[in-house]
Amino acid sequence: MSGLVAIRLAEVPRIVVASPDLLGDRPLPRHPDELAELPWLALRTFYRDEVELTHAGTGETARFPIRPRLSTDGLQAIRNAAILGLGAAIGSQWALVDDLAARRLVQLAPDWRAATLPVSLVYPPSRHQPARLRRFIEVMRVAVPIAFRAVQAP
């Protein structure tokens, strides 16, 4: 949309997860090559038939094709299907942190991440911003990054 002001507030980390039941006795996958062989759940808003991950330390990227068992545009549907052991999935870390802590899900290839999602505050431009809008922007510039840092995977 043109004519709007956008302020980037944070980046939402996205991680690869699965139910421990999906892995069975297999060791935890550490590299994307090991992930390609798992059944997958696709969040079609972001990925449909291919996954791209980036190593958090080196910046190396890896891509591999997937044939999803389930494809949806709902993060909670993907989360629930992953908990039920239907496949591996990529989701926003904040939405999965409780399931990771409760061990309903495990993080796969923990050094690898999907592209982050930007969180922006968008509003129409104005020569004279109301004081409450200026204050809201100030609060959000501090609160949103703190909120996403506070929600870290265990």
Side-chain angles (χ1 to χ4, degrees):
M1 294 182 175
S2 63
L4 295 176
V5 176
I7 300 171
R8 178 76 49 96
L9 299 175
E11 298 285 328
V12 177
R14 294 187 311 137
I15 58 175
V16 181
V17 297
S19 165
D21 294 337
L22 181 72
L23 298 176
D25 294 333
R26 291 180 284 193
L28 184 72
R30 297 274 173 209
H31 192 274
D33 291 344
E34 300 169 76
L35 299 175
E37 301 186 17
L38 295 173
W40 273 85
L41 309 168
L43 191 57
R44 66 177 168 243
T45 312
F46 303 107
Y47 61 100
R48 294 173 189 255
D49 56 8
E50 182 179 71
V51 169
E52 181 175 338
L53 301 174
T54 302
H55 191 276
T58 67
E60 173 190 359
T61 60
R63 297 174 99 157
F64 55 91
I66 61 170
R67 292 183 53 207
R69 285 184 166 176
L70 171 73
S71 179
T72 180
D73 61 358
L75 179 58
Q76 291 306 318
I78 288 290
R79 176 191 156 268
N80 292 338
I83 290 170
L84 292 172
L86 297 178
I90 295 173
S92 298
Q93 184 174 318
W94 67 266
L96 305 169
V97 71
D98 291 341
D99 297 312
L100 292 165
R103 302 197 189 278
R104 291 183 290 267
L105 294 173
V106 293
Q107 186 175 352
L108 308 181
D111 293 332
W112 295 81
R113 307 279 190 278
T116 59
L117 300 177
V119 175
S120 297
L121 178 63
V122 181
Y123 60 92
S126 172
R127 284 188 191 172
H128 306 287
Q129 290 180 340
R132 65 179 178 247
L133 174 59
R134 287 193 310 272
R135 180 65 182 137
F136 180 74
I137 293 168
E138 290 171 16
V139 168
M140 290 298 102
R141 282 184 188 228
V142 173
V144 171
I146 290 171
F148 281 113
R149 279 195 301 272
V151 181
Q152 298 295 318

